[in-house]
Amino acid sequence: MKIISYNVNGIRAALRKGLTEWLRVANPDIFCVQETKAQPEQVDISEIQALGYTAYWHSAQRKGYSGVAIFSKIQPKNVEIGTGIDYIDHEGRVIRLDFDQFSVISLYLPSGTNMEERLDFKLQFCEDFLNYIRNLKQNIPNLVIAGDYNICHEAIDIHDPICNAKVSGFLPVERDWMTRFIDQCEMIDSYRFFVKEPHHYTWWSYRANARANNKGWRIDYHMVSHQLKNNIKRVGILTEAKHSDHCPILVELEF
């Protein structure tokens, strides 16, 4: 079971840059997308559907903003749009597909970089999402939470931890939340489960030639329930894909 997650920074722009052809070659069973920035009716996905995918969307009320989707070759037994928490769901940040042996969430956690009130929003979102997942796991223990968390967890996950120590995305309060999320929700950072070396990132600023110099941040994750620990077979960061300021991430599960 191959699952790929990708913040495409606007799905219409990514499609114009060759996303469909890349998807054909990558060939995941499940493709989680964040920051679609579109309503479903605004996007021609006929070529993606021709590859065997069915699309499930959760778009923001505000057009051209946020939004998540999951494209799946496997028919889910249930689709859950949102969390039931109004202020979260208005921004189109969570969608879940339930399958026989596990469930997949596509998550787009807010950025806190624009203004102080937005950081407050992000931190409130984080706390409410942690409680949501902790409660959800009582009924759905086998979860893969794929997406853009907009947080680097450890110093190894960012190119310059000293200079970025007071930047949202690497603030102590955000990193502490990530630790609590992993511990209290009993999740595994699947990439770090296998890869312990530094200099592996999933997002680069468009400024100062950051991607070419690999001055990046690892803010995209496949968090996997402890219950699926023995099912995790392979992980990857797919840096060759360049449709966005992020790159895709991969996890393979075997049942």
Side-chain angles (χ1 to χ4, degrees), residues 28-39:
D29 300 289
I30 299 168
F31 183 43
C32 298
V33 175
Q34 302 86 42
E35 208 169 356
T36 57
K37 296 183 178 178
Q39 307 296 315

Side-chain angles (χ1 to χ4, degrees), residues 208-228:
N209 215 21
R211 189 161 189 166
N213 294 316
N214 199 31
K215 293 183 176 180
W217 302 41
R218 191 175 74 95
I219 58 176
D220 302 88
Y221 302 82
H222 281 118
M223 294 292 182
V224 178
S225 292
H226 279 190
Q227 290 89 337
L228 296 172

Side-chain angles (χ1 to χ4, degrees), residues 37-38 54 63 71 140 153 158-159 175-176 188 223 255:
K37 296 183 178 178
T54 300
K63 290 188 176 180
F71 299 85
I140 303 178
H153 185 206
I158 192 167
H159 73 95
R175 298 171 62 197
D176 173 69
I188 296 167
M223 294 292 182
F255 295 97

Side-chain angles (χ1 to χ4, degrees), residues 6-239:
Y6 197 178
N7 179 322
V8 294
N9 193 14
I11 192 167
R12 287 171 288 183
L15 288 168
R16 290 192 295 269
K17 296 174 184 176
L19 179 66
T20 304
E21 179 58 24
W22 173 85
L23 185 61
R24 183 188 67 78
V25 175
N27 193 32
D29 300 289
I30 299 168
F31 183 43
C32 298
V33 175
Q34 302 86 42
E35 208 169 356
T36 57
K37 296 183 178 178
Q39 307 296 315
E41 63 273 12
Q42 296 177 306
V43 189
D44 179 5
I45 60 165
S46 57
E47 293 183 353
I48 294 178
Q49 291 171 321
L51 299 176
Y53 293 98
T54 300
Y56 305 90
W57 300 79
H58 186 202
S59 298
Q61 290 184 358
R62 174 181 160 193
K63 290 188 176 180
Y65 177 74
S66 188
V68 291
I70 301 178
F71 299 85
S72 179
K73 289 188 173 183
I74 306 160
Q75 180 71 31
K77 63 181 184 180
N78 179 58
V79 178
E80 196 70 29
I81 307 296
T83 62
I85 304 170
D86 284 349
Y87 82 91
I88 290 177
D89 295 344
H90 290 166
E91 294 204 350
R93 293 185 178 273
V94 180
I95 185 171
R96 188 182 87 238
L97 268 57
D98 298 327
F99 303 95
D100 287 335
Q101 293 168 304
F102 66 100
S103 296
V104 176
I105 289 174
S106 183
L107 166 69
Y108 179 38
L109 202 148
S111 169
T113 56
N114 293 335
M115 58 192 79
E116 184 176 347
E117 64 194 56
R118 199 60 188 171
L119 176 60
D120 291 340
F121 178 89
K122 177 180 185 176
L123 296 176
Q124 184 63 56
F125 182 109
C126 285
E127 295 303 325
D128 289 341
F129 184 74
L130 186 155
N131 290 328
Y132 167 74
I133 294 299
R134 193 166 51 190
N135 292 330
L136 180 65
K137 286 197 72 181
Q138 295 178 17
N139 296 315
I140 303 178
N142 295 350
L143 281 177
V144 177
I145 307 175
D148 177 2
Y149 285 66
N150 264 310
I151 298 171
C152 290
H153 185 206
E154 304 287 358
I156 193 176
D157 298 314
I158 192 167
H159 73 95
D160 191 340
I162 295 174
C163 287
N164 288 291
K166 296 183 179 180
V167 177
S168 180
F170 196 59
L171 296 173
V173 66
E174 295 168 307
R175 298 171 62 197
D176 173 69
W177 174 83
M178 184 73 87
T179 298
R180 289 188 294 107
F181 176 75
I182 289 170
D183 291 345
Q184 293 180 26
C185 296
E186 299 183 315
M187 305 300 290
I188 296 167
D189 177 350
S190 60
Y191 188 74
R192 286 291 173 226
F193 185 66
F194 288 97
V195 181
K196 310 303 182 185
E197 296 79 22
H199 313 306
H200 298 287
Y201 309 122
T202 65
W203 174 82
W204 302 262
S205 170
Y206 282 128
R207 297 191 296 270
N209 215 21
R211 189 161 189 166
N213 294 316
N214 199 31
K215 293 183 176 180
W217 302 41
R218 191 175 74 95
I219 58 176
D220 302 88
Y221 302 82
H222 281 118
M223 294 292 182
V224 178
S225 292
H226 279 190
Q227 290 89 337
L228 296 172
K229 177 180 178 179
N230 294 329
N231 303 98
I232 307 171
K233 298 304 175 185
R234 187 163 73 97
V235 297
I237 293 177
L238 309 179
T239 54

